[in-house]
Amino acid sequence: MTAQQNSSLASFTGDANPYGGGDPYADYRAADLPFTQYANLADRRLGAGVVAANDEFFAQRENLLVPERAEFDPEHFGHKGKVMDGWETRRRRGASAEHPWPTEDDHDWALIRLGAPGVIRGIVVDTAHFRGNYPQAVSVEGASVEGSPSPEELLADDVKWTTLVPRTPVGGHAANGFAVSAEQRFTHLRLRQHPDGGIARLRVHGEVVPDPAWLAALGTFDVVALENGGQVEDASDRFYSPATNTIQPGRSRKMDDGWETRRRRDQGNDWISYRLVGRSRIRAIEIDTAYLKGNSAGWASVSVKDVDAEGAGEWREVLPRTRMQPDTNHRFVLPEPAVGTHARVDIFPDGGISRLRLFGSLTEDGATRLAARHQELGG
């Protein structure tokens, strides 16, 4: 079935064709989803996890959060049947021979801990390779529970769950996208599939909203890090890899775990602009080119902008254009703190960096605004 318009987002229903050989993604159904510009809050690199599921007979729940796209091997069978790269439950049955069908309320569920709590802008329920064994419909709820709750605590009667995606039909072998409008901070999700079936991947796109008390206890921290509430606002080029990689936790593990641009054939340069967690005093900078050897940036500079209440501000260079070495972590202590709300790294002329770290602390007004937003969003 072809894509249909629903609330300005393409939606898919019905079976995909049986696999006929060749590239299994050749007939995959997808759409341009505007909210995918936001970071994936359910990224394993941020600490996300599938903490429980009521059934995972055919395929394990943990597959939902694997960062790479789902793979399909038509010859791979195990003791329980076809091995699928996703979360797949057994077929539900009715109560008797007279009523062998699942009831309207029958469903399977999985509990997901977000890697970074935040405001969710959109969700992708990906049924790649589940062509005739996907769920008829899905629904998603969110909750805000502090600490490290157990599955039993999350399922307790006193936990308030907010509907983010109402029960909605989905299609097989498709990226089923749903825009979310709830202006709340969530820590956990409950994904339901009705009545049973398989889902390959779950992506939860949104904005990180950190705990102000935690950041205050840290004192000095990375004010642009994704897990602390930093965000990529724009980039000149995302040809080989996303700019968001530069503010992911930890060191880069391989070349595509950083940011690399296409080769320039003009006299320009490439750049990424960021929004910091809040108004901050930056004292030190790290620019890492790990695993970028013949393709690292030749030079790099860092600028800061202090945006006022009216949205005005000018870029001020705090690290002048500096030679970069391949596969090297470069550290710079600033002669004086740089105050700002936004930052920008420019690389010359092209190439890439793996990570950018801006170490500092929130200003008094930056901390006040962050605490107010945290409270406003129910944190």
Side-chain angles (χ1 to χ4, degrees):
M1 185 174 295
T2 57
Q4 304 169 349
Q5 288 301 118
N6 181 13
S7 302
S8 77
L9 290 181
S11 60
F12 307 98
T13 55
D15 294 348
N17 292 325
Y19 175 63
D23 179 7
Y25 274 101
D27 59 343
Y28 177 67
R29 297 179 288 177
D32 185 17
L33 302 172
F35 53 75
T36 56
Q37 64 178 298
Y38 294 101
N40 178 19
L41 304 183
D43 194 322
R44 284 288 299 171
R45 291 174 292 181
L46 290 173
V50 185
V51 299
N54 72 305
D55 187 296
E56 47 187 328
F57 185 86
F58 286 114
Q60 295 175 326
R61 65 183 191 259
E62 287 86 358
N63 289 333
L64 283 170
L65 305 188
V66 171
E68 295 78 21
R69 71 177 188 172
E71 298 298 329
F72 180 72
D73 181 353
E75 305 299 327
H76 195 186
F77 287 84
H79 294 294
K80 294 182 179 180
K82 180 72 186 70
V83 175
M84 296 294 290
D85 186 8
W87 168 51
E88 185 180 6
T89 65
R90 73 194 78 198
R91 299 188 188 216
R92 283 185 171 270
R93 298 294 186 238
S96 66
E98 290 72 28
H99 296 280
W101 309 280
T103 70
E104 181 67 16
D105 294 331
D106 281 345
H107 66 274
D108 293 316
W109 54 264
L111 297 176
I112 294 94
R113 178 189 65 245
L114 297 180
V119 178
I120 298 169
R121 301 302 182 192
I123 294 173
V124 180
V125 178
D126 189 345
T127 57
H129 314 305
F130 289 94
R131 296 169 176 269
N133 51 347
Y134 59 93
Q136 181 185 41
V138 300
S139 59
V140 184
E141 301 161 288
S144 183
V145 182
E146 293 306 310
S148 304
S150 67
E152 293 74 22
E153 290 170 323
L154 288 171
L155 295 172
D157 293 338
D158 61 344
V159 173
K160 178 185 176 183
W161 290 93
T162 299
T163 298
L164 305 180
V165 178
R167 182 169 175 169
T168 306
V170 294
H173 197 43
N176 300 278
F178 307 94
V180 176
S181 59
E183 285 293 321
Q184 298 178 51
R185 179 181 184 266
F186 294 104
T187 62
H188 294 77
L189 298 184
R190 178 162 58 189
L191 170 65
R192 300 179 194 253
Q193 50 177 340
H194 309 265
D196 54 38
I199 297 169
R201 298 287 188 267
L202 177 71
R203 306 295 188 228
V204 184
H205 298 279
E207 300 175 66
V208 176
V209 180
D211 181 354
W214 176 253
L215 297 183
L218 292 178
T220 296
F221 59 93
D222 183 359
V223 299
V224 76
L226 180 60
E227 61 187 325
N228 293 333
Q231 182 177 318
V232 168
E233 289 203 323
D234 202 0
S236 61
D237 188 291
R238 298 178 175 89
F239 189 83
Y240 286 113
S241 44
T244 304
N245 280 353
T246 60
I247 53 175
Q248 288 282 2
R251 299 293 183 192
S252 175
R253 297 168 298 169
K254 50 194 174 81
M255 190 174 73
D256 66 349
D257 192 17
W259 172 60
E260 181 189 358
T261 71
R262 73 191 81 194
R263 299 189 187 209
R264 277 191 171 268
R265 302 307 188 202
D266 58 21
Q267 299 300 304
N269 75 283
D270 289 313
W271 51 266
I272 307 173
S273 62
Y274 307 86
R275 186 183 69 195
L276 307 182
V277 57
R279 191 165 185 259
S280 306
R281 290 187 181 89
I282 301 168
R283 300 182 181 88
I285 296 172
E286 281 190 7
I287 302 175
D288 196 352
T289 59
Y291 294 98
L292 296 163
K293 298 181 179 180
N295 51 352
S296 69
W299 291 261
S301 65
V302 176
S303 301
V304 170
K305 181 165 64 173
D306 196 16
V307 175
D308 60 23
E310 285 71 41
E314 298 293 332
W315 289 110
R316 180 169 65 92
E317 191 175 73
V318 297
L319 178 69
R321 193 179 304 187
T322 303
R323 189 73 168 96
M324 294 287 105
Q325 298 300 321
D327 196 26
T328 301
N329 189 32
H330 309 77
R331 291 179 170 177
F332 309 95
V333 176
L334 300 183
E336 61 182 30
V339 177
T341 56
H342 295 71
R344 170 174 166 143
V345 61
D346 284 81
I347 63 171
F348 302 87
D350 57 21
I353 62 174
S354 62
R355 296 289 188 270
L356 174 71
R357 305 297 189 209
L358 304 178
F359 295 104
S361 56
L362 291 169
T363 62
E364 185 175 346
D365 58 330
T368 299
R369 291 173 188 170
L370 181 63
R373 183 166 186 252
H374 185 264
Q375 184 175 15
E376 178 185 341
L377 295 171

